[in-house]
Amino acid sequence: MDYSPKTSTLTHLECPECRREFDADVLQSICHRCNSPLLARYDLDAVSQYLTPGDVHTRPPGLWRWSEILPLRQLGCKVTLGEGDTPIFSLPRLGKYVGISNLFVKDESRNPTGTFKARGLSVAVSRALELGVNTFVIPTAGNAGAALAAYAARAGCRAHVFMPRQSDRSNQAEVRLAGANLVLVEGSISEAAIEARSAAAAHSDSDKQDINSNWFDMSTFKEPYRLEGKKTMGLEIAECFGWQLPDVIVYPTGGGTGLVGMWKAFGELFAMGWINERFPRMVAVQTEACPPIVRAFQENRDRVNIHQDAQTIANGLRVPEPFADRLILDTIYASQGYALAVSDEQIKQASKQLAQLEGILAAFEGAATLAALMLLRDQGRVKDKDKVLLMNTGSGLKTIL
Ligand SMILES: *Cc1c(COP(=O)(O)O)cnc(C)c1O
Ligand SMILES: [Zn+2]
């Protein structure tokens, strides 16, 4: 098949469990047979024939530079606020302090709404709009709700956001300000998901052909395209490091879209022949309050168990039952990575160090990656000469007061 430049080469969606294929040009959620997320697949052979790193590099900045391997058919339909192409800084002072000579951070704090959630929601809202949606619903620990509210406003759509009452006040204020419907829920994102689902069910009418009357569920991994937006972090990392990936990437893991998305990006770039087979070890960081992935990793399982849930200052990491547990754990195992938990006290300490040694005002989730790195260094799991990239997923300004 021939594609014109900048057109999506999206071919189909695939269930990673049963390998069944799904039509990508109608609205899809999950593989109901396997209760699994769906993954977007592209004609990567074709892309590798006509697209070069130079082509992508010279386009205007932002994640939409990667349109051939993003799902939107009509680029003119994109809903954008300037997301993506965040900087990667070296951290010489902090590196010396931790004992890592090649330490870097990818600073996602300057995305719209102050977190990398903007990437996923820009792409997912754009694609859903293209497929006819005009009303969204999302359960969120906080930041995804703020991002959805912004992109829905930008697109002229309605959004219903279900958020724990204990979530950060800034997110609640952002959702209200953007004119979305905010519903505060007792408990965690798990309880928010239950309420969001029943509200959505009450508002959908399967008899009606008109999908516009339905609320479209934007929950993490319950539709295929937030992952595609988050994937662009991996594409940018590869490009920024001159197509030689770092040895270790440390990622604060909640629902896992960033971790799974970066790994998907590396696989696609490898299939296109743009990178070699030296992939990073992917390290998932969680909090001691809510460590389902860490527990599963310690017991060498590929699914999470009955959850533990307690409050933490890192609200984005309070995800007791990640729906994509298998994809997250597969990524950690396949990369020969690791999973570990840190305490709120360690996170606070690390956020001070980032601010004082490098001037970086990190989200608590982002600071958790530094706290984890110090433990990994002490345990000898990361060595002085490893090239290590920390993911600062959001801005510390959202929670500074
Ligand atoms: C949501 C969030 C995370 C966790 O991301 P997942 O893709 O759900 O694992 C980490 N940091 C921040 C700031 C977040 O908002
Ligand atoms: Zn399936």
Side-chain angles (χ1 to χ4, degrees):
M1 173 148 181
D2 280 340
Y3 300 93
S4 52
K6 302 198 183 174
T7 339
S8 174
T9 64
L10 180 68
T11 52
H12 62 280
L13 303 172
E14 184 185 24
C15 171
E17 299 279 340
C18 68
R19 301 282 160 194
R20 273 196 306 153
E21 295 189 3
F22 294 73
D23 185 352
D25 286 300
V26 295
L27 281 177
Q28 301 278 7
S29 52
I30 61 173
C31 174
H32 290 284
R33 193 186 290 173
C34 307
N35 198 32
S36 164
L38 296 176
L39 302 177
R41 298 300 184 203
Y42 300 86
D43 191 347
L44 299 175
D45 274 346
V47 179
S48 68
Q49 304 282 314
Y50 68 84
L51 190 71
T52 69
D55 295 336
V56 175
H57 190 72
T58 50
R59 293 175 183 170
L63 63 75
W64 294 102
R65 288 195 291 134
W66 305 91
S67 51
E68 285 86 352
I69 46 175
L70 288 175
L72 200 65
R73 301 274 184 216
Q74 304 286 329
L75 254 193
C77 293
K78 67 176 184 277
V79 183
T80 180
L81 290 162
E83 51 293 323
D85 274 331
T86 57
I88 294 180
F89 301 120
S90 75
L91 302 173
R93 257 179 244 284
L94 204 50
K96 193 171 259 178
Y97 178 79
V98 184
I100 303 279
S101 332
N102 282 301
L103 182 60
F104 299 85
V105 65
K106 186 163 177 64
D107 191 3
E108 290 289 304
S109 67
R110 58 203 68 201
N111 275 301
T113 70
T115 74
F116 74 154
K117 290 295 194 297
R119 291 180 188 265
L121 286 149
S122 173
V123 172
V125 166
S126 299
R127 181 65 177 147
L129 213 66
E130 190 172 50
L131 295 175
V133 173
N134 67 11
T135 304
F136 297 96
V137 57
I138 197 168
T140 171
N143 289 328
L148 174 64
Y151 285 95
R154 181 84 167 143
C157 292
R158 291 282 299 151
H160 302 272
V161 177
F162 290 73
M163 201 185 281
R165 191 174 297 282
Q166 292 141 343
S167 60
D168 296 313
R169 299 287 296 276
S170 54
N171 283 321
Q172 300 178 19
E174 283 179 69
V175 170
R176 288 203 181 94
L177 189 61
N181 173 32
L182 176 68
V183 183
L184 293 177
V185 174
E186 305 305 328
S188 72
I189 191 173
S190 300
E191 285 70 36
I194 293 167
E195 292 205 22
R197 251 198 311 280
S198 62
H203 283 86
S204 62
D205 182 350
S206 49
D207 295 338
K208 272 193 207 153
Q209 290 302 306
D210 180 15
I211 51 170
N212 289 346
S213 64
N214 296 345
W215 292 11
F216 187 66
D217 185 359
M218 292 291 248
S219 303
T220 307
F221 278 111
K222 297 281 175 81
E223 60 73 50
Y225 301 122
R226 281 176 65 186
L227 181 66
E228 295 305 291
K230 290 271 187 93
K231 164 181 103 176
T232 59
M233 291 191 296
L235 304 173
E236 291 171 18
I237 290 166
E239 181 188 49
C240 184
F241 283 107
W243 311 105
Q244 302 276 330
L245 298 176
D247 299 303
V248 178
I249 295 182
V250 190
Y251 179 80
T253 306
T257 39
L259 188 91
V260 174
M262 285 188 283
W263 193 248
K264 185 172 188 284
F266 301 150
E268 291 174 357
L269 291 174
F270 180 72
M272 286 156 59
W274 289 20
I275 58 174
N276 63 25
E277 67 290 339
R278 289 200 49 231
F279 284 19
R281 279 129 66 199
M282 305 297 286
V283 175
V285 180
Q286 300 201 292
T287 65
E288 287 174 356
C290 187
I293 294 293
V294 176
R295 292 276 178 277
F297 175 79
Q298 286 166 342
E299 293 160 20
N300 205 26
R301 285 184 277 109
D302 67 355
R303 306 307 296 249
V304 298
N305 262 352
I306 317 151
H307 58 276
Q308 171 186 348
D309 170 43
Q311 281 199 67
T312 161
I313 52 170
N315 273 315
L317 306 187
R318 192 178 168 205
V319 183
E321 290 172 288
F323 179 62
D325 52 352
R326 176 167 269 167
L327 289 173
I328 297 168
L329 287 155
D330 282 353
T331 301
I332 299 169
Y333 295 130
S335 74
Q336 304 187 41
Y338 198 71
L340 74 168
V342 296
S343 70
D344 278 13
E345 219 28 69
Q346 289 168 324
I347 291 174
K348 280 186 198 156
Q349 197 57 37
S351 75
K352 263 189 210 155
Q353 283 155 336
L354 272 159
Q356 294 180 2
L357 291 177
E358 301 285 3
I360 291 173
L361 198 56
F364 288 128
E365 295 86 347
T369 64
L370 175 62
L373 179 63
M374 293 200 269
L375 297 177
L376 293 167
R377 185 75 182 98
D378 285 346
Q379 296 164 1
R381 294 185 196 281
V382 175
K383 305 269 192 286
D384 167 35
K385 289 286 175 274
D386 284 332
K387 187 187 273 188
V388 179
L389 177 66
L390 306 177
M391 300 299 293
N392 175 34
T393 45
S395 169
L397 278 178
K398 291 192 88 159
T399 50
I400 202 164
L401 293 178

